[in-house]
Amino acid sequence: RRVEHVDHARKSAEQAVKAIKAKEAGESVPEYDYLPYFYSRSFDLSWQFYGDNVGEDVLFGDNDPTAAKPKFGSYWIKDGKVVGVFLEGGSAEENQVIAKVARAQPPVADVEALKKEGLDFAAKV
């Protein structure tokens, strides 16, 4: 798993310190649970990715570069579950929804239906 984000660096360091202090006190801490993500913003372009980019990728949305505001993305399916989601041009609410999908890892019965549903699939999770 690749995790290239400052947020992960900070949170994993915090987890390490908590674990060390807990061990010194004879206690334990919950296991580190982190949802990997990347993002980029450049002028009018922005995208976010959550989860893992392994397995079969399923493209959705409008990726026509001549569109006024293209919005497109991809789901990554592994072992019948969504394990990663990418979205270009999403709103803050849509980005929260794709993060929820990547964490929940819902099953996918029909990949062709997923392509057609696109972002609507994520809204149902």
Side-chain angles (χ1 to χ4, degrees):
R1 170 182 283 183
R2 288 180 61 175
V3 182
E4 300 177 15
H5 199 277
V6 172
D7 181 64
H8 167 64
R10 289 177 178 151
K11 288 180 179 173
S12 63
E14 180 182 348
Q15 177 73 11
V17 170
K18 286 179 183 178
I20 291 167
K21 288 183 150 205
K23 184 168 179 140
E24 289 172 348
E27 300 169 356
S28 64
V29 295
E31 186 175 315
Y32 182 58
D33 182 26
Y34 184 78
L35 178 64
Y37 78 99
F38 301 65
Y39 70 91
S40 182
R41 293 183 193 105
S42 180
F43 302 105
D44 290 342
L45 302 173
S46 68
W47 60 266
Q48 292 198 344
F49 173 84
Y50 293 92
D52 291 314
N53 61 337
V54 295
E56 178 183 359
D57 60 304
V58 177
L59 302 173
F60 65 87
D62 176 13
N63 61 357
D64 179 357
T66 63
K69 180 114 169 103
K71 184 182 298 188
F72 61 93
S74 183
Y75 293 105
W76 274 265
I77 313 299
K78 184 175 180 192
D79 299 329
K81 299 184 297 184
V82 175
V83 296
V85 188
F86 166 89
L87 182 60
E88 163 65 44
S91 67
E93 294 79 20
E94 290 167 332
N95 288 328
Q96 288 176 347
V97 167
I98 67 168
K100 182 179 172 186
V101 170
R103 182 168 293 285
Q105 298 189 353
V108 173
D110 184 353
V111 172
E112 289 303 314
L114 179 62
K115 286 179 187 178
K116 291 177 185 170
E117 280 188 89
L119 200 50
D120 290 338
F121 172 83
K124 296 176 188 176
V125 174

PDB file of all heavy atoms in Angstrom, residues 90-119:
ATOM      1  N   GLY A  90     -15.047  16.774  -8.183  1.00  0.00           N
ATOM      2  CA  GLY A  90     -16.126  16.555  -7.214  1.00  0.00           C
ATOM      3  C   GLY A  90     -16.255  17.688  -6.214  1.00  0.00           C
ATOM      4  O   GLY A  90     -15.312  18.417  -5.933  1.00  0.00           O
ATOM      5  N   SER A  91     -17.446  17.817  -5.673  1.00  0.00           N
ATOM      6  CA  SER A  91     -17.704  18.797  -4.611  1.00  0.00           C
ATOM      7  C   SER A  91     -17.177  18.227  -3.290  1.00  0.00           C
ATOM      8  O   SER A  91     -16.836  17.041  -3.198  1.00  0.00           O
ATOM      9  CB  SER A  91     -19.202  19.058  -4.493  1.00  0.00           C
ATOM     10  OG  SER A  91     -19.868  17.888  -4.021  1.00  0.00           O
ATOM     11  N   ALA A  92     -17.164  19.051  -2.261  1.00  0.00           N
ATOM     12  CA  ALA A  92     -16.720  18.590  -0.942  1.00  0.00           C
ATOM     13  C   ALA A  92     -17.603  17.432  -0.463  1.00  0.00           C
ATOM     14  O   ALA A  92     -17.103  16.448   0.091  1.00  0.00           O
ATOM     15  CB  ALA A  92     -16.751  19.737   0.063  1.00  0.00           C
ATOM     16  N   GLU A  93     -18.902  17.528  -0.693  1.00  0.00           N
ATOM     17  CA  GLU A  93     -19.829  16.478  -0.280  1.00  0.00           C
ATOM     18  C   GLU A  93     -19.573  15.184  -1.053  1.00  0.00           C
ATOM     19  O   GLU A  93     -19.583  14.097  -0.485  1.00  0.00           O
ATOM     20  CB  GLU A  93     -21.287  16.917  -0.477  1.00  0.00           C
ATOM     21  CG  GLU A  93     -21.713  18.061   0.403  1.00  0.00           C
ATOM     22  CD  GLU A  93     -21.244  19.433  -0.096  1.00  0.00           C
ATOM     23  OE1 GLU A  93     -20.919  19.582  -1.299  1.00  0.00           O
ATOM     24  OE2 GLU A  93     -21.178  20.359   0.733  1.00  0.00           O
ATOM     25  N   GLU A  94     -19.335  15.301  -2.359  1.00  0.00           N
ATOM     26  CA  GLU A  94     -19.054  14.109  -3.166  1.00  0.00           C
ATOM     27  C   GLU A  94     -17.748  13.459  -2.743  1.00  0.00           C
ATOM     28  O   GLU A  94     -17.642  12.233  -2.701  1.00  0.00           O
ATOM     29  CB  GLU A  94     -19.021  14.476  -4.652  1.00  0.00           C
ATOM     30  CG  GLU A  94     -20.389  14.823  -5.203  1.00  0.00           C
ATOM     31  CD  GLU A  94     -20.346  15.487  -6.558  1.00  0.00           C
ATOM     32  OE1 GLU A  94     -19.350  16.167  -6.884  1.00  0.00           O
ATOM     33  OE2 GLU A  94     -21.340  15.339  -7.311  1.00  0.00           O
ATOM     34  N   ASN A  95     -16.762  14.251  -2.388  1.00  0.00           N
ATOM     35  CA  ASN A  95     -15.492  13.698  -1.922  1.00  0.00           C
ATOM     36  C   ASN A  95     -15.674  12.966  -0.593  1.00  0.00           C
ATOM     37  O   ASN A  95     -15.041  11.941  -0.355  1.00  0.00           O
ATOM     38  CB  ASN A  95     -14.438  14.786  -1.821  1.00  0.00           C
ATOM     39  CG  ASN A  95     -13.980  15.258  -3.184  1.00  0.00           C
ATOM     40  OD1 ASN A  95     -13.954  14.502  -4.143  1.00  0.00           O
ATOM     41  ND2 ASN A  95     -13.641  16.527  -3.282  1.00  0.00           N
ATOM     42  N   GLN A  96     -16.549  13.452   0.265  1.00  0.00           N
ATOM     43  CA  GLN A  96     -16.832  12.753   1.517  1.00  0.00           C
ATOM     44  C   GLN A  96     -17.507  11.410   1.241  1.00  0.00           C
ATOM     45  O   GLN A  96     -17.228  10.415   1.895  1.00  0.00           O
ATOM     46  CB  GLN A  96     -17.713  13.607   2.424  1.00  0.00           C
ATOM     47  CG  GLN A  96     -16.994  14.777   3.028  1.00  0.00           C
ATOM     48  CD  GLN A  96     -17.912  15.679   3.843  1.00  0.00           C
ATOM     49  OE1 GLN A  96     -19.137  15.581   3.777  1.00  0.00           O
ATOM     50  NE2 GLN A  96     -17.317  16.571   4.608  1.00  0.00           N
ATOM     51  N   VAL A  97     -18.389  11.402   0.230  1.00  0.00           N
ATOM     52  CA  VAL A  97     -19.099  10.176  -0.127  1.00  0.00           C
ATOM     53  C   VAL A  97     -18.127   9.123  -0.662  1.00  0.00           C
ATOM     54  O   VAL A  97     -18.219   7.951  -0.293  1.00  0.00           O
ATOM     55  CB  VAL A  97     -20.220  10.477  -1.153  1.00  0.00           C
ATOM     56  CG1 VAL A  97     -20.769   9.209  -1.770  1.00  0.00           C
ATOM     57  CG2 VAL A  97     -21.337  11.266  -0.499  1.00  0.00           C
ATOM     58  N   ILE A  98     -17.179   9.519  -1.512  1.00  0.00           N
ATOM     59  CA  ILE A  98     -16.247   8.516  -2.043  1.00  0.00           C
ATOM     60  C   ILE A  98     -15.319   7.997  -0.950  1.00  0.00           C
ATOM     61  O   ILE A  98     -14.922   6.825  -0.971  1.00  0.00           O
ATOM     62  CB  ILE A  98     -15.473   9.001  -3.289  1.00  0.00           C
ATOM     63  CG1 ILE A  98     -14.511  10.133  -2.972  1.00  0.00           C
ATOM     64  CG2 ILE A  98     -16.427   9.350  -4.419  1.00  0.00           C
ATOM     65  CD1 ILE A  98     -13.522  10.453  -4.093  1.00  0.00           C
ATOM     66  N   ALA A  99     -14.987   8.841   0.021  1.00  0.00           N
ATOM     67  CA  ALA A  99     -14.175   8.376   1.158  1.00  0.00           C
ATOM     68  C   ALA A  99     -14.943   7.312   1.935  1.00  0.00           C
ATOM     69  O   ALA A  99     -14.374   6.290   2.342  1.00  0.00           O
ATOM     70  CB  ALA A  99     -13.803   9.546   2.060  1.00  0.00           C
ATOM     71  N   LYS A 100     -16.224   7.544   2.115  1.00  0.00           N
ATOM     72  CA  LYS A 100     -17.077   6.585   2.828  1.00  0.00           C
ATOM     73  C   LYS A 100     -17.109   5.245   2.093  1.00  0.00           C
ATOM     74  O   LYS A 100     -17.042   4.186   2.708  1.00  0.00           O
ATOM     75  CB  LYS A 100     -18.492   7.165   2.957  1.00  0.00           C
ATOM     76  CG  LYS A 100     -19.447   6.298   3.709  1.00  0.00           C
ATOM     77  CD  LYS A 100     -20.813   6.969   3.797  1.00  0.00           C
ATOM     78  CE  LYS A 100     -21.838   6.035   4.379  1.00  0.00           C
ATOM     79  NZ  LYS A 100     -23.185   6.614   4.336  1.00  0.00           N
ATOM     80  N   VAL A 101     -17.192   5.294   0.770  1.00  0.00           N
ATOM     81  CA  VAL A 101     -17.203   4.066  -0.036  1.00  0.00           C
ATOM     82  C   VAL A 101     -15.890   3.308   0.126  1.00  0.00           C
ATOM     83  O   VAL A 101     -15.879   2.092   0.335  1.00  0.00           O
ATOM     84  CB  VAL A 101     -17.464   4.382  -1.523  1.00  0.00           C
ATOM     85  CG1 VAL A 101     -17.240   3.163  -2.390  1.00  0.00           C
ATOM     86  CG2 VAL A 101     -18.876   4.908  -1.715  1.00  0.00           C
ATOM     87  N   ALA A 102     -14.778   4.003   0.035  1.00  0.00           N
ATOM     88  CA  ALA A 102     -13.471   3.346   0.157  1.00  0.00           C
ATOM     89  C   ALA A 102     -13.306   2.697   1.528  1.00  0.00           C
ATOM     90  O   ALA A 102     -12.706   1.628   1.641  1.00  0.00           O
ATOM     91  CB  ALA A 102     -12.348   4.344  -0.109  1.00  0.00           C
ATOM     92  N   ARG A 103     -13.824   3.323   2.551  1.00  0.00           N
ATOM     93  CA  ARG A 103     -13.720   2.747   3.899  1.00  0.00           C
ATOM     94  C   ARG A 103     -14.659   1.551   4.054  1.00  0.00           C
ATOM     95  O   ARG A 103     -14.288   0.522   4.607  1.00  0.00           O
ATOM     96  CB  ARG A 103     -14.020   3.778   4.974  1.00  0.00           C
ATOM     97  CG  ARG A 103     -13.852   3.189   6.368  1.00  0.00           C
ATOM     98  CD  ARG A 103     -13.848   4.201   7.474  1.00  0.00           C
ATOM     99  NE  ARG A 103     -12.731   5.087   7.494  1.00  0.00           N
ATOM    100  CZ  ARG A 103     -11.489   4.782   7.881  1.00  0.00           C
ATOM    101  NH1 ARG A 103     -11.197   3.557   8.229  1.00  0.00           N
ATOM    102  NH2 ARG A 103     -10.548   5.682   7.908  1.00  0.00           N
ATOM    103  N   ALA A 104     -15.890   1.664   3.532  1.00  0.00           N
ATOM    104  CA  ALA A 104     -16.891   0.607   3.692  1.00  0.00           C
ATOM    105  C   ALA A 104     -16.608  -0.620   2.823  1.00  0.00           C
ATOM    106  O   ALA A 104     -17.007  -1.722   3.165  1.00  0.00           O
ATOM    107  CB  ALA A 104     -18.279   1.158   3.370  1.00  0.00           C
ATOM    108  N   GLN A 105     -15.960  -0.416   1.683  1.00  0.00           N
ATOM    109  CA  GLN A 105     -15.658  -1.484   0.730  1.00  0.00           C
ATOM    110  C   GLN A 105     -16.894  -2.323   0.392  1.00  0.00           C
ATOM    111  O   GLN A 105     -16.932  -3.538   0.613  1.00  0.00           O
ATOM    112  CB  GLN A 105     -14.526  -2.371   1.225  1.00  0.00           C
ATOM    113  CG  GLN A 105     -13.229  -1.626   1.386  1.00  0.00           C
ATOM    114  CD  GLN A 105     -12.053  -2.538   1.658  1.00  0.00           C
ATOM    115  OE1 GLN A 105     -12.188  -3.731   1.861  1.00  0.00           O
ATOM    116  NE2 GLN A 105     -10.871  -1.966   1.672  1.00  0.00           N
ATOM    117  N   PRO A 106     -17.921  -1.670  -0.181  1.00  0.00           N
ATOM    118  CA  PRO A 106     -19.152  -2.395  -0.497  1.00  0.00           C
ATOM    119  C   PRO A 106     -18.949  -3.404  -1.622  1.00  0.00           C
ATOM    120  O   PRO A 106     -18.080  -3.218  -2.483  1.00  0.00           O
ATOM    121  CB  PRO A 106     -20.105  -1.284  -0.941  1.00  0.00           C
ATOM    122  CG  PRO A 106     -19.207  -0.221  -1.476  1.00  0.00           C
ATOM    123  CD  PRO A 106     -17.981  -0.273  -0.603  1.00  0.00           C
ATOM    124  N   PRO A 107     -19.765  -4.465  -1.617  1.00  0.00           N
ATOM    125  CA  PRO A 107     -19.657  -5.449  -2.696  1.00  0.00           C
ATOM    126  C   PRO A 107     -20.209  -4.900  -4.007  1.00  0.00           C
ATOM    127  O   PRO A 107     -21.076  -4.027  -4.016  1.00  0.00           O
ATOM    128  CB  PRO A 107     -20.529  -6.610  -2.194  1.00  0.00           C
ATOM    129  CG  PRO A 107     -21.485  -5.989  -1.248  1.00  0.00           C
ATOM    130  CD  PRO A 107     -20.768  -4.817  -0.628  1.00  0.00           C
ATOM    131  N   VAL A 108     -19.684  -5.426  -5.098  1.00  0.00           N
ATOM    132  CA  VAL A 108     -20.141  -5.054  -6.438  1.00  0.00           C
ATOM    133  C   VAL A 108     -20.517  -6.340  -7.164  1.00  0.00           C
ATOM    134  O   VAL A 108     -19.653  -7.179  -7.407  1.00  0.00           O
ATOM    135  CB  VAL A 108     -19.054  -4.302  -7.225  1.00  0.00           C
ATOM    136  CG1 VAL A 108     -19.480  -4.072  -8.653  1.00  0.00           C
ATOM    137  CG2 VAL A 108     -18.710  -3.002  -6.540  1.00  0.00           C
ATOM    138  N   ALA A 109     -21.804  -6.468  -7.484  1.00  0.00           N
ATOM    139  CA  ALA A 109     -22.274  -7.668  -8.168  1.00  0.00           C
ATOM    140  C   ALA A 109     -22.134  -7.548  -9.683  1.00  0.00           C
ATOM    141  O   ALA A 109     -21.858  -8.527 -10.362  1.00  0.00           O
ATOM    142  CB  ALA A 109     -23.730  -7.944  -7.790  1.00  0.00           C
ATOM    143  N   ASP A 110     -22.314  -6.342 -10.207  1.00  0.00           N
ATOM    144  CA  ASP A 110     -22.344  -6.147 -11.655  1.00  0.00           C
ATOM    145  C   ASP A 110     -21.487  -4.936 -12.023  1.00  0.00           C
ATOM    146  O   ASP A 110     -21.884  -3.790 -11.794  1.00  0.00           O
ATOM    147  CB  ASP A 110     -23.794  -5.946 -12.105  1.00  0.00           C
ATOM    148  CG  ASP A 110     -23.951  -5.820 -13.604  1.00  0.00           C
ATOM    149  OD1 ASP A 110     -22.938  -5.759 -14.325  1.00  0.00           O
ATOM    150  OD2 ASP A 110     -25.113  -5.771 -14.053  1.00  0.00           O
ATOM    151  N   VAL A 111     -20.327  -5.185 -12.611  1.00  0.00           N
ATOM    152  CA  VAL A 111     -19.394  -4.109 -12.959  1.00  0.00           C
ATOM    153  C   VAL A 111     -19.986  -3.181 -14.015  1.00  0.00           C
ATOM    154  O   VAL A 111     -19.808  -1.964 -13.945  1.00  0.00           O
ATOM    155  CB  VAL A 111     -18.039  -4.694 -13.421  1.00  0.00           C
ATOM    156  CG1 VAL A 111     -17.130  -3.615 -13.968  1.00  0.00           C
ATOM    157  CG2 VAL A 111     -17.363  -5.414 -12.266  1.00  0.00           C
ATOM    158  N   GLU A 112     -20.711  -3.728 -14.969  1.00  0.00           N
ATOM    159  CA  GLU A 112     -21.327  -2.889 -16.013  1.00  0.00           C
ATOM    160  C   GLU A 112     -22.358  -1.939 -15.408  1.00  0.00           C
ATOM    161  O   GLU A 112     -22.433  -0.770 -15.790  1.00  0.00           O
ATOM    162  CB  GLU A 112     -21.957  -3.751 -17.109  1.00  0.00           C
ATOM    163  CG  GLU A 112     -20.940  -4.452 -17.980  1.00  0.00           C
ATOM    164  CD  GLU A 112     -19.953  -3.507 -18.652  1.00  0.00           C
ATOM    165  OE1 GLU A 112     -20.374  -2.470 -19.197  1.00  0.00           O
ATOM    166  OE2 GLU A 112     -18.742  -3.802 -18.626  1.00  0.00           O
ATOM    167  N   ALA A 113     -23.120  -2.418 -14.449  1.00  0.00           N
ATOM    168  CA  ALA A 113     -24.093  -1.554 -13.767  1.00  0.00           C
ATOM    169  C   ALA A 113     -23.372  -0.464 -12.983  1.00  0.00           C
ATOM    170  O   ALA A 113     -23.819   0.682 -12.938  1.00  0.00           O
ATOM    171  CB  ALA A 113     -24.989  -2.379 -12.845  1.00  0.00           C
ATOM    172  N   LEU A 114     -22.239  -0.813 -12.387  1.00  0.00           N
ATOM    173  CA  LEU A 114     -21.446   0.164 -11.642  1.00  0.00           C
ATOM    174  C   LEU A 114     -20.966   1.277 -12.562  1.00  0.00           C
ATOM    175  O   LEU A 114     -21.017   2.457 -12.206  1.00  0.00           O
ATOM    176  CB  LEU A 114     -20.254  -0.522 -10.969  1.00  0.00           C
ATOM    177  CG  LEU A 114     -19.323   0.365 -10.165  1.00  0.00           C
ATOM    178  CD1 LEU A 114     -20.043   1.014  -8.998  1.00  0.00           C
ATOM    179  CD2 LEU A 114     -18.135  -0.450  -9.669  1.00  0.00           C
ATOM    180  N   LYS A 115     -20.518   0.928 -13.774  1.00  0.00           N
ATOM    181  CA  LYS A 115     -20.086   1.932 -14.748  1.00  0.00           C
ATOM    182  C   LYS A 115     -21.212   2.913 -15.051  1.00  0.00           C
ATOM    183  O   LYS A 115     -20.993   4.116 -15.146  1.00  0.00           O
ATOM    184  CB  LYS A 115     -19.642   1.267 -16.054  1.00  0.00           C
ATOM    185  CG  LYS A 115     -18.330   0.574 -15.995  1.00  0.00           C
ATOM    186  CD  LYS A 115     -18.003  -0.059 -17.343  1.00  0.00           C
ATOM    187  CE  LYS A 115     -16.763  -0.900 -17.260  1.00  0.00           C
ATOM    188  NZ  LYS A 115     -16.442  -1.556 -18.534  1.00  0.00           N
ATOM    189  N   LYS A 116     -22.411   2.383 -15.224  1.00  0.00           N
ATOM    190  CA  LYS A 116     -23.557   3.226 -15.560  1.00  0.00           C
ATOM    191  C   LYS A 116     -23.993   4.088 -14.380  1.00  0.00           C
ATOM    192  O   LYS A 116     -24.369   5.235 -14.547  1.00  0.00           O
ATOM    193  CB  LYS A 116     -24.721   2.369 -16.042  1.00  0.00           C
ATOM    194  CG  LYS A 116     -24.462   1.737 -17.392  1.00  0.00           C
ATOM    195  CD  LYS A 116     -25.593   0.837 -17.815  1.00  0.00           C
ATOM    196  CE  LYS A 116     -25.226   0.132 -19.120  1.00  0.00           C
ATOM    197  NZ  LYS A 116     -26.185  -0.911 -19.453  1.00  0.00           N
ATOM    198  N   GLU A 117     -23.948   3.514 -13.175  1.00  0.00           N
ATOM    199  CA  GLU A 117     -24.360   4.267 -11.979  1.00  0.00           C
ATOM    200  C   GLU A 117     -23.370   5.370 -11.635  1.00  0.00           C
ATOM    201  O   GLU A 117     -23.757   6.426 -11.159  1.00  0.00           O
ATOM    202  CB  GLU A 117     -24.501   3.334 -10.781  1.00  0.00           C
ATOM    203  CG  GLU A 117     -25.772   2.561 -10.731  1.00  0.00           C
ATOM    204  CD  GLU A 117     -25.889   1.830  -9.415  1.00  0.00           C
ATOM    205  OE1 GLU A 117     -26.429   2.413  -8.455  1.00  0.00           O
ATOM    206  OE2 GLU A 117     -25.409   0.680  -9.355  1.00  0.00           O
ATOM    207  N   GLY A 118     -22.105   5.094 -11.806  1.00  0.00           N
ATOM    208  CA  GLY A 118     -21.079   6.079 -11.508  1.00  0.00           C
ATOM    209  C   GLY A 118     -21.140   6.588 -10.090  1.00  0.00           C
ATOM    210  O   GLY A 118     -21.169   5.820  -9.137  1.00  0.00           O
ATOM    211  N   LEU A 119     -21.189   7.880  -9.945  1.00  0.00           N
ATOM    212  CA  LEU A 119     -21.187   8.512  -8.627  1.00  0.00           C
ATOM    213  C   LEU A 119     -22.466   8.211  -7.838  1.00  0.00           C
ATOM    214  O   LEU A 119     -22.460   8.233  -6.610  1.00  0.00           O
ATOM    215  CB  LEU A 119     -20.987  10.026  -8.782  1.00  0.00           C
ATOM    216  CG  LEU A 119     -20.507  10.797  -7.581  1.00  0.00           C
ATOM    217  CD1 LEU A 119     -19.282  10.170  -6.934  1.00  0.00           C
ATOM    218  CD2 LEU A 119     -20.246  12.233  -7.943  1.00  0.00           C
TER     219      LEU A 119
END
